Amino acid sequence: MRILAFDIETAAAEELHSYGPGFVRLCGWADALDPDAEVHISADPAELLAALSAADAITGCNILNFDLLALAKHNGADYEALARKSYDTIIVERHVNPIAAKGMQPRGYYGLDATAARYGAPGKTDDLKALARKWGGFDKIPQDDPTYRLYLTGDVRASAGLFRVMRKITDDLPAGDQRYIRREHYVSASMGRVTLEGFRTDVDETMRRWVAGQKRLEDGKQLLHERFGMPLEGKKPHTTNPGKAAFRKAILATGISEEALDANWPTNKDGSLSTGKDVLNGFIPVFERTKPEAAELCRTVLAMNGERTVYGTVLDHLVGDRVHPYIGPDQSSGRWSMKDPGLTVFGKRGGKAVERAIMLADSDDEVLVAIDADQVDARVIAAECQDPAYMALFGPGMDLHSEVAFRVWPNPAQHGADCDGPGSGRPVKCRCELRDRAKVFGHGFSYGLGANGMARQHGVDTMVAQGFIRGMTEAFPRLAEWKEEIRALAGVLGFNEEAPANDTYRILHTWAGRPIRVERNRAYTQATAQVGQGGTRDVMAEAVLRLPPKYRRRIRAVIHDELVLSLPKRGAQETAQSIADGMAFDLKGVQITFGCSTVGPNWASCYGY
């Protein structure tokens, strides 16, 4: 069996989709099974493609999300044919050594050099960035430069050495793990295809919205300056002492009390309100429901932090009239990130779906449709916990959030006059605020969120959150027990207990067999969330693999539990419904189902905008 390890040197990686001819500058390959094999170096990608096509299998690090994409885009490679015989070491390493929570692993942890070093495989030589600086760019390095060629030779040897080590590891894994790794290769190749195809964009409308947003930003800055004394000078005036004081005054002016601010808003060491990206992004969804002025203030300060608006980010990544987002399982749960540009941050509810109008079908003869999994997070939890009462909520015609509302608040007097509870002779339907509360609280309960966190996230009194948790525990006792069991498996710690240095995390598994790493000091909330989110991601992966290839190639975005496809106009609505029906499957006694939106020329039109 001939297995080739290969690597390529290119112009700057971020120019993968925008660089013209000559992006792939140098190619290297060698027999992956022979430690002493000669490394072939060529400046002609056609020679590499001939070798890869003739090989029985090919290997390298991150080849599905970069090398093969580059060869397909710029040199005519058959991406899917090469992907089918790939052994991508980054996929294997993420399985045997799962991704940690944010910040727990250094940058580049899964890169070729760092991974090869962990396994004692031969590593890279020299510093390619230094060579690029010397010549004025990665695309300016002479192709016959001896150091350049030596660097590529080191990459190929590292890739081959890493394959030999990791093949032994995977050969010793249980059959289920081996199947999951192969499945993950198929899924990653499908996501790579989405990146390669790209998503058409209404360039003129995007520019118009960006200009309007810039004006609102400048108006917001001026308002903060005139009313609250926010400085305008400097890159980040809100981080100065006068700026911190102005931000606090502005937040209070939106109607938030001092008590609520002090109880819920994270602070810096000097006691000022934190204006970090994660903090502001966490509060914006809450404020949009309760304090729109505060949400707009947070967005203004985010922009002062240097955060780009959704429209600015899209403009930054346009190639012609398309963007080509990267999609990868970069989160510890395995959930996909869709970035460069980050389409996952586009709004969907509360009127925010209009942001999506700038994303178009492939042509004027096609339409977009959004296919999403029905209440998939809750269904995955139901399948995992096997609580009969909870599983029963997902039967045909049942409204999950109404059912939960009447179980947590069973007294009809607690509900509105128009609500139909059990015994009404009609399908259970809660039409008052308790359904909305059940919807937003239920997700947090399943994922282990406590009363304080629930109250803080949704802007309610802690007693309300405590009552909901108590009601859910009484209504679904097996679900509550399962959460404790998962926490125990994750090594949950007691109050003020520290995890030993040699036992800081545990590995759990999703229903499909994906290993997920749970940090013991975060296990109380992280354990069930990881299992649930990881399981949801595996549901979406299964849905993608169930698509016939002709439709899989029409995926243009993957947003958590939603797939966006571009379909020919003729019969599109019927085709979309057929696709959604074909993706359904049974998961441990819980039916996983999918719904499709109306079809339309742009992404927002799928939601009626």
Side-chain angles (χ1 to χ4, degrees):
M1 186 177 199
R2 183 161 175 75
I3 303 175
L4 287 187
F6 80 99
D7 203 353
I8 58 176
E9 299 302 341
T10 67
E14 58 270 20
E15 296 179 297
L16 168 62
H17 303 286
S18 58
Y19 202 90
F23 178 77
V24 179
R25 310 195 67 251
L26 211 58
C27 309
W29 66 96
D31 186 334
L33 299 177
D34 182 1
D36 300 316
E38 176 188 0
V39 176
H40 300 274
I41 302 292
S42 174
D44 183 1
E47 292 187 31
L48 170 63
L49 290 177
L52 296 180
S53 297
D56 298 299
I58 60 178
T59 185
C61 182
N62 202 34
I63 56 177
L64 291 177
N65 260 317
F66 185 75
D67 303 70
L68 294 183
L69 291 181
L71 291 168
K73 185 172 186 69
H74 297 283
N75 304 103
D78 186 333
Y79 176 79
E80 289 168 321
L82 292 177
R84 280 194 294 271
K85 58 181 178 181
S86 293
Y87 181 103
D88 196 328
T89 53
I90 196 171
I91 292 175
V92 180
E93 175 65 354
R94 282 172 166 167
H95 188 90
V96 300
N97 185 8
I99 299 172
K102 187 176 180 180
M104 300 299 292
Q105 290 167 329
R107 185 178 178 84
Y109 184 83
Y110 290 102
L112 175 60
D113 202 20
T115 306
R118 283 196 295 277
Y119 290 99
K124 298 181 181 181
T125 58
D126 295 318
D127 182 355
L128 189 62
K129 290 183 179 179
L131 199 60
R133 287 193 296 271
K134 173 184 174 181
W135 291 100
F138 291 99
D139 59 341
K140 301 295 192 301
I141 305 171
Q143 290 164 298
D144 59 356
D145 184 296
T147 304
Y148 196 27
R149 290 180 166 241
L150 183 63
Y151 181 88
L152 179 55
T153 299
D155 276 5
V156 175
R157 292 198 185 283
S159 294
L162 190 54
F163 169 76
R164 293 191 295 272
V165 171
M166 301 204 80
R167 189 179 67 158
K168 292 179 181 178
I169 293 173
T170 49
D171 285 349
D172 290 337
L173 289 174
D177 287 271
Q178 294 187 36
R179 284 194 298 271
Y180 190 91
I181 290 171
R182 176 46 51 193
R183 174 184 185 265
E184 194 66 6
H185 276 75
Y186 296 147
V187 172
S188 294
S190 298
M191 296 301 100
R193 187 82 215 180
V194 177
T195 299
L196 199 58
E197 296 289 344
F199 203 165
R200 191 163 75 109
T201 307
D202 186 333
V203 180
D204 291 341
E205 179 64 12
T206 304
M207 179 60 76
R208 187 192 68 76
R209 292 185 181 198
W210 179 77
V211 170
Q214 290 301 107
K215 183 180 185 306
R216 285 196 303 273
L217 170 61
E218 293 306 316
D219 290 346
K221 287 181 179 178
Q222 194 63 38
L223 180 66
L224 284 172
H225 174 67
E226 293 174 357
R227 287 188 58 190
F228 305 107
M230 177 71 74
L232 296 178
E233 302 78 18
K235 288 186 177 180
K236 295 185 177 182
H238 58 291
T239 63
T240 64
N241 287 334
K244 293 173 183 177
F247 178 69
R248 184 179 181 90
K249 289 179 185 176
I251 280 287
L252 291 171
T254 66
I256 298 172
S257 69
E258 291 268 9
E259 293 77 11
L261 204 60
D262 293 338
N264 297 299
W265 200 292
T267 57
N268 300 312
K269 290 181 179 179
D270 62 1
S272 61
L273 301 179
S274 173
T275 52
K277 173 183 175 181
D278 291 343
V279 172
L280 295 173
N281 278 329
F283 278 114
I284 286 173
V286 178
F287 290 151
E288 282 181 337
R289 294 192 300 270
T290 58
K291 301 283 183 185
E293 302 91 345
E296 187 62 28
L297 172 60
C298 288
R299 279 191 286 267
T300 299
V301 175
L302 269 177
M304 294 170 74
N305 276 338
E307 296 298 319
R308 300 282 276 157
T309 65
V310 290
Y311 306 120
T313 303
V314 167
L315 290 172
D316 286 344
H317 292 91
L318 269 179
V319 180
D321 66 348
R322 300 179 89 85
V323 292
H324 298 266
Y326 157 85
I327 307 174
D330 297 335
Q331 300 179 39
S332 56
S333 64
R335 289 180 75 171
W336 287 303
S337 299
M338 193 170 191
K339 56 189 181 184
D340 300 330
L343 300 187
T344 51
V345 301
F346 275 59
K348 183 176 180 179
R349 296 178 178 84
K352 299 290 287 182
V354 294
E355 293 178 349
R356 302 184 176 201
I358 65 170
M359 308 310 300
L360 306 175
D362 276 4
S363 71
D364 292 341
D365 294 325
E366 296 196 5
V367 289
L368 292 179
V369 65
I371 298 178
D372 62 351
D374 300 322
Q375 304 150 340
V376 63
D377 295 88
R379 290 175 190 250
V380 167
I381 293 295
E384 291 284 17
C385 75
Q386 291 291 294
D387 184 314
Y390 198 54
M391 295 169 73
L393 302 187
F394 303 98
M398 298 186 75
D399 177 55
L400 169 65
H401 307 306
S402 290
E403 297 285 349
V404 168
F406 274 104
R407 280 166 173 77
V408 175
W409 299 285
N411 186 347
Q414 296 174 282
H415 292 261
D418 295 331
C419 296
D420 293 323
S424 66
R426 294 179 292 275
V428 173
K429 181 66 177 178
C430 176
R431 296 181 175 84
C432 68
E433 65 171 5
L434 294 183
R435 184 186 183 278
D436 293 336
R437 189 171 293 176
K439 181 177 180 179
V440 298
F441 283 5
H443 189 69
F445 175 82
S446 296
Y447 282 2
L449 191 64
N452 290 335
M454 199 177 288
R456 182 170 58 252
Q457 283 191 14
H458 301 293
V460 300
D461 188 270
T462 304
M463 295 293 289
V464 174
Q466 288 174 342
F468 180 83
I469 290 173
R470 185 166 54 252
M472 285 289 286
T473 302
E474 292 171 356
F476 309 110
R478 177 60 200 141
L479 170 56
E481 290 174 358
W482 173 81
K483 290 198 301 180
E484 293 306 316
E485 291 167 3
I486 293 297
R487 287 166 177 157
L489 287 173
V492 68
L493 300 168
F495 184 70
N496 281 341
E497 184 181 359
E498 291 290 332
N502 63 347
D503 186 19
T504 59
Y505 67 90
R506 300 286 171 84
I507 303 297
L508 304 181
H509 290 82
T510 67
W511 64 268
R514 181 182 188 85
I516 46 177
R517 171 171 159 162
V518 180
E519 308 301 325
R520 292 190 63 193
N521 62 354
R522 305 182 188 179
Y524 189 83
T525 54
Q526 193 183 72
T528 53
Q530 293 282 71
V531 171
Q533 291 175 2
T536 295
R537 185 272 196 190
D538 279 337
V539 163
M540 298 309 295
E542 181 69 19
V544 168
L545 294 179
R546 284 171 176 263
L547 280 174
K550 65 178 181 178
Y551 294 131
R552 199 181 307 156
R553 296 186 191 107
R554 289 185 167 276
I555 299 174
R556 295 296 171 260
V558 182
I559 311 293
H560 301 319
D561 60 353
E562 176 183 330
L563 304 177
V564 183
L565 289 80
S566 183
L567 301 173
K569 271 184 182 179
R570 186 177 180 85
Q573 195 67 62
E574 294 78 11
T575 299
Q577 188 61 58
S578 175
I579 290 171
D581 293 343
M583 291 181 349
F585 65 98
D586 181 90
L587 178 60
K588 299 182 181 181
V590 177
Q591 192 70 7
I592 302 296
T593 59
F594 296 81
C596 68
S597 70
T598 56
V599 300
N602 63 62
W603 193 9
S605 62
C606 296
Y607 315 100
Y609 292 92

